[in-house]
Amino acid sequence: MQILFLGAPGAGKGTQCKRLSKHLDLAHLSSGDLLREAVKEGTPTGLKAKSYMDKGVLVPDEVLIAMFEEKLARPECAKGFILDGFPRNLAQAGSLDQLLEKLNKQLTVVINMQVDFNLLTERICGRRTCGNKECGSTYHIKFMPPKKDDICDVCGSALTKRSDDNEEVVRNRLKVYEKETEPLIEYYDARLILRTIDGQGDVDEIFSDILRTIKVLV
Ligand code: AP5
């Protein structure tokens, strides 16, 4: 299965994709996580991406396309994958079509996570993430707090706050989403592979909704 998640920043894509990836045993390719890893490691991609990410605008298309061309060809993606954060505009969507054609694959379903815009800033600014890359569990100081402040329930590592999770940068990220990414909803709807999920409410119920939607298709 090849699954793509769409949704505004803070819609819960990462939270649900991590669970789904474990449940279906599929690779989870998060563009944001891959870019943050590259920034942390100081690779040429990371050095190029950092200033764009700090401002909350899109990193140039060619960086993302090269990154996903390499990732999608890896053996761990052979049986399918979950895309989270790529593509993010129509040009990237066209490039993804070409990459998939070369691999003789197509998207099985596009899950669009719908959340009221007014909730997103609070969700993003309260997010905390486990600093251990192998774990990467996500929390929220109000909606999903860890048992011990700033400590991951799963692996005991310290939780971190993303540097772009502040109100000023979030405002930009939401504007960029509306202008660049929202048109993808129509793009995939026209292909009849888009399914919209209510991303508000209980995380377990949202996950069950996603599973139901996927099961209908396979
Ligand atoms: P990226 O890391 O992809 O950020 P984003 O799209 O802004 O998405 P988020 O990670 O903020 O949100 P999410 O939907 O995953 O929410 P989460 O599950 O964590 O991108 C960062 C930057 O990288 C971009 O600004 C850009 O510069 C660059 N970039 C990335 N991809 C690119 C591309 N393709 N092209 C160019 N540039 C690119 O949840 C958020 C919070 O809400 C958490 O605290 C969580 O615990 C909580 N939460 C989740 N579900 C619920 C719920 N049901 N109820 C209550 N709280 C909830």
Side-chain angles (χ1 to χ4, degrees), residues 28-39 41 43-49 53 59-74 76-77 83-88 92 95-96 99 103:
H28 169 206
L29 300 179
S30 155
S31 55
D33 287 351
L34 293 169
L35 288 169
R36 277 184 289 280
E37 213 175 297
V39 170
E41 286 169 4
T43 66
T45 297
L47 294 175
K48 217 186 246 179
M53 296 174 81
V59 174
D61 292 343
E62 63 271 17
V63 174
L64 274 296
I65 293 161
M67 194 162 87
F68 276 81
E69 181 166 23
E70 192 264 320
K71 297 285 175 200
L72 292 178
R74 287 192 178 185
E76 59 265 34
C77 290
L83 295 177
D84 165 10
F86 175 85
R88 209 116 152 172
Q92 292 182 14
S95 297
L96 175 64
L99 294 180
L103 296 167

Side-chain angles (χ1 to χ4, degrees), residues 8-15 31-32 35-36 53 57-59 64 85-86 88 92 123 127 138-140 143-144 162 164 173 199 201 203 206:
K13 304 179 296 295
T15 303
S31 55
L35 288 169
R36 277 184 289 280
M53 296 174 81
V57 298
L58 295 187
V59 174
L64 274 296
F86 175 85
R88 209 116 152 172
Q92 292 182 14
R123 274 200 187 182
R127 170 171 41 204
T138 304
Y139 299 85
H140 190 281
F143 304 128
M144 267 174 270
R162 272 168 51 177
D164 60 343
R173 285 161 59 193
V203 173
I206 298 169

Side-chain angles (χ1 to χ4, degrees), residues 34 40 90 140 157 205:
L34 293 169
K40 205 167 160 190
L90 289 167
H140 190 281
S157 301
E205 279 172 21

Side-chain angles (χ1 to χ4, degrees), residues 161-178:
K161 181 171 159 72
R162 272 168 51 177
S163 59
D164 60 343
D165 280 354
N166 62 73
E167 280 192 35
E168 199 188 325
V169 178
V170 168
R171 259 196 302 276
N172 261 345
R173 285 161 59 193
L174 293 174
K175 272 191 210 151
V176 169
Y177 168 77
E178 281 188 298

